[in-house]
Amino acid sequence: MEQPAERGLTTAEVTERVTRGQVNAVRRRSSRPLPAIIRANVLTLFNGVIGTLWVMIIIFGEWQDGLFGLVVVANSAIGIVQELRAKRTLDHLSVVNEAPAKVRRDGVDTEIPPGWIVLGDLVLLSPGDQLQVDGRVADADGLEVDESLLTGEADPVLKCSGDQMLSGSFAVAGNGSYVATGVGGGAYAAKLAEEASAFNLSRSELRDGITRFIAYITWLIIPIGALLIWSQLRRADDFGQAVTGAVAGIVTMIPEGLVLMTSIAFAVGVIRLGRRRCLVQELPAIEVLARVDVLCLDKTGTLTAGGMSLDEVRPLRDDLPVHEALSALAHLDPDPNPTAQAIQTAHPEAPGWTTVVKVPFSSARKWSGAEFTGQGAWVLGAADVLLTPGTPEYAEAEERAATGLRVLALGRVVSLRDPGDLGPVEASAIVVLRQRIRPEAAETLRYFAEQGVTIKIISGDNPESVSAIARSLHVPGGEHAVDARTLPENDPGKLAEILEANTVFGRVTPYQKRSFVGALQSRGHTVAMTGDGVNDVLALKDADLGVAMGSGSGAARAVAQIVLMDNDFTSLPAVVAEGRRVLANIERVSRLFLTKTFYAIVLSLLTGVIGLAFPFAPRHSTLVNALTIGIPAFFLALAPSGERARPGFVPRVLRLAIPAGIICAVAVYLSYWAAQSGSSALEENRTSAVTTLFIATWWLLVLIARPYVWWRVALVAAMAALFILALAVPPVRDFFALAPDYLSNDLVAVGCGAAAAVALTVIFTIVRSHDKSPGHERPTDTLES
């Protein structure tokens, strides 16, 4: 016999549905499975090219020249390991972050992970809950659902018994329950999110820029490689030597470690933030962190600590049961909001009034109310919404709000049958709640001001109350608050002007928060939005970066890219600093990798046109690249940095990489040409070219490694020492086919390297001056350690 819907499923029915696979199993948003991780790190274009060239060297050349093949193994292994570490961190925090679903089984209400919901479960809803599965309403008590994330419609939808419910929407008012009819991949939101929510690293300017550059390089390698192969085959008597020279040029053109370093930097960023209890739900959020220049803060739960206390209830009428009415309203909701909780604490006993009509609180209305048998209709909400301007009680409420207190009004109305037409409100009492400002908020706001991040405080509370809190935190412009009810609704340009000129905004509706984000973005700003309530969801979704508090509503946490699991507002500076570290360091190491690519292109062109043997063998390239790019880049990519990112990543990198690559190539070719003009052997000539190349690229490393701290100085010094050891220690020297035995060649090599170092210094200074010119400012490293 079928169980009544009000009792939910039985344990046996749940077990049967689990056996049939009718469970809400969906892929976690924050990570991809192990096979996908392995494929992404092994089956790459560069791994294919390098692997092919390695096979050619093993067949036609000497195995020592096949060292570059280890790059494929190292790239793949390091990439897989780092991403698996990031995956473990993300998956662990994702489980902690998941808002539990409330279901009724065997007549008992219980909380379970969303993935445990089965087909036919009776799911319970209260304000702030996100709908995890599709279904039909079983019971509704003033239940209003926001479907804007699915439909784009901003107005909440009142739900009645039998109405369709779609996953991805969220409850904003009232309570109710619904029976699950679509779970797992069959749910509406799961179908929409299958592609959009996939774990990936590609949706960012940084990744797009690198991918675009790699595509250009790939197309260049084909004709230049063909020219190089033809020239080497034409002049060499030995086919193996011709293949070795051609492979050396092609391998050096490939910036094989750049993608790896980018992936590692992202993954390590995720791990570091995870240790700070920050859940990164989309990896591109790491990059957006570095680009943020406007931070919109929701006052409640961000600047103020969670929870409030009832400070005072001042009756305006002695003949009305003010305290009883206040208690009755506070005890109506089985899942009370912070305001109702504060009133319940002061009035723990409900008066026992019988409810006829109930209107739940919503952020759009700014009030809640109920009609009681024999006691009339009462409303409780924002004082400046319910009270009449110009009256003594309105003036008193404004005066109290100006001190930073939260002021509500309790009043009576004729009827609540039509919540859209409240009618005249008979003021009955002023209710004052006290909010606690987070002690660390002022220091955090000061950090953002120093970093050039503009703060916008946006709240649904009274403007004077918000302004008082902003003033207490010494927020610039906090003395003037804008009432959002006076803002233009259909003039985005005017709205953007007002937002640019002001800092504090009160009485902001959820729809307005969303329009604020859009208006700021229209002015070219990268906008981060923090929030914890259901009224923040729309703005969190539309912002470039949504940051939710771990204690916030399930809907807010679901749409945010970053969740502060410990609700610690002070962790935001560390979050922003991590994003800046990743982006600034990737830009730094990109200059090293792309300089290598350009000097290899120029050397290949010169070799192909002039017809000499290629200046070095693959093993030489492996040695120099490891000491001047690979090893240093690994440390530089993970170093502290406080630079704020700016758009134009590719042009900035190429401004240095192209001229630096040309300088290095010309110096190497001059050194090689001078050496081969004498009587020295090919091995000695190539040693001359390798020495010049190391000096030039090592000096570029010295320039790029700025600002100097002890570990950076030690790093560049160690690389120089390792190269000297390679020249001095016979077994190593023989392995890398180095022969520094021809003094005149050695002197020319050092001279050409020194000349290249001078030219590189000039170019670096010019590029740096351009980057610091008006419109190209680059903040200095403020977090170096």
Side-chain angles (χ1 to χ4, degrees), residues 349-427:
E349 297 295 329
W353 292 1
T354 303
T355 306
V356 179
V357 177
K358 184 174 76 171
V359 179
F361 176 82
S362 80
S363 299
R365 280 191 295 267
K366 308 291 185 189
W367 60 266
S368 62
E371 193 169 331
F372 304 97
T373 301
Q375 303 295 338
W378 295 78
V379 291
L380 175 68
D384 54 336
V385 172
L386 297 178
L387 300 180
T388 305
T391 60
E393 55 268 21
Y394 187 93
E396 180 182 346
E398 287 284 287
E399 183 179 345
R400 288 174 180 259
T403 64
L405 297 169
R406 188 171 191 183
V407 184
L408 307 178
L410 177 69
R412 290 207 306 178
V413 294
V414 176
S415 174
L416 287 175
R417 302 288 177 177
D418 182 7
D421 183 16
L422 195 57
V425 179
E426 180 185 356

Side-chain angles (χ1 to χ4, degrees), residues 499-515:
L499 287 169
E500 291 276 16
N502 296 276
T503 301
V504 179
F505 301 85
R507 288 292 172 240
V508 183
T509 66
Y511 179 76
Q512 282 180 312
K513 286 187 179 183
R514 188 182 200 179
S515 64

Side-chain angles (χ1 to χ4, degrees), residues 513-576:
K513 286 187 179 183
R514 188 182 200 179
S515 64
F516 281 15
V517 170
L520 289 167
Q521 289 170 330
S522 71
R523 290 296 184 97
H525 293 296
T526 301
V527 181
M529 176 78 192
T530 69
D532 61 353
V534 68
N535 60 319
D536 301 318
V537 170
L538 302 180
L540 287 172
K541 186 68 176 176
D542 284 1
D544 296 290
L545 182 70
V547 182
M549 298 295 169
S551 62
S553 69
R557 284 181 285 156
V559 301
Q561 287 97 340
I562 290 180
V563 181
L564 305 180
M565 304 295 292
D566 288 338
N567 310 305
D568 188 359
F569 178 55
T570 58
S571 61
L572 270 181
V575 171
V576 171

Side-chain angles (χ1 to χ4, degrees), residues 278-490:
C278 298
L279 169 61
V280 180
Q281 303 202 98
E282 294 178 8
L283 286 193
I286 293 284
E287 176 184 345
V288 180
L289 283 171
R291 303 192 187 283
V292 166
D293 62 349
V294 174
L295 175 61
C296 296
L297 297 173
D298 180 56
K299 173 184 70 67
T300 307
T302 304
L303 300 179
T304 58
M308 292 176 281
S309 59
L310 184 62
D311 193 63
E312 181 186 358
V313 178
R314 197 182 84 74
L316 299 174
R317 292 272 303 272
D318 294 332
D319 58 332
L320 295 177
V322 168
H323 291 281
E324 291 82 356
L326 191 62
S327 178
L329 290 173
H331 283 85
L332 279 177
D333 195 337
D335 188 15
N337 60 25
T339 299
Q341 288 176 1
I343 298 172
Q344 285 182 10
T345 301
H347 298 83
E349 297 295 329
W353 292 1
T354 303
T355 306
V356 179
V357 177
K358 184 174 76 171
V359 179
F361 176 82
S362 80
S363 299
R365 280 191 295 267
K366 308 291 185 189
W367 60 266
S368 62
E371 193 169 331
F372 304 97
T373 301
Q375 303 295 338
W378 295 78
V379 291
L380 175 68
D384 54 336
V385 172
L386 297 178
L387 300 180
T388 305
T391 60
E393 55 268 21
Y394 187 93
E396 180 182 346
E398 287 284 287
E399 183 179 345
R400 288 174 180 259
T403 64
L405 297 169
R406 188 171 191 183
V407 184
L408 307 178
L410 177 69
R412 290 207 306 178
V413 294
V414 176
S415 174
L416 287 175
R417 302 288 177 177
D418 182 7
D421 183 16
L422 195 57
V425 179
E426 180 185 356
S428 306
I430 290 177
V431 181
V432 182
L433 299 168
R434 187 172 296 277
Q435 305 172 96
R436 299 190 304 276
I437 297 177
R438 292 182 182 269
E440 67 278 3
E443 182 181 348
T444 304
L445 293 177
R446 186 162 52 249
Y447 165 83
F448 283 115
E450 291 170 353
Q451 295 298 307
V453 178
T454 303
I455 299 294
K456 303 292 179 186
I457 299 177
I458 299 172
S459 175
D461 286 352
N462 181 286
E464 294 302 321
S465 175
V466 184
S467 176
I469 290 176
R471 291 197 305 273
S472 70
L473 295 171
H474 308 291
V475 175
E479 65 281 353
H480 175 66
V482 176
D483 190 327
R485 292 171 295 188
T486 65
L487 295 176
E489 294 184 6
N490 300 312

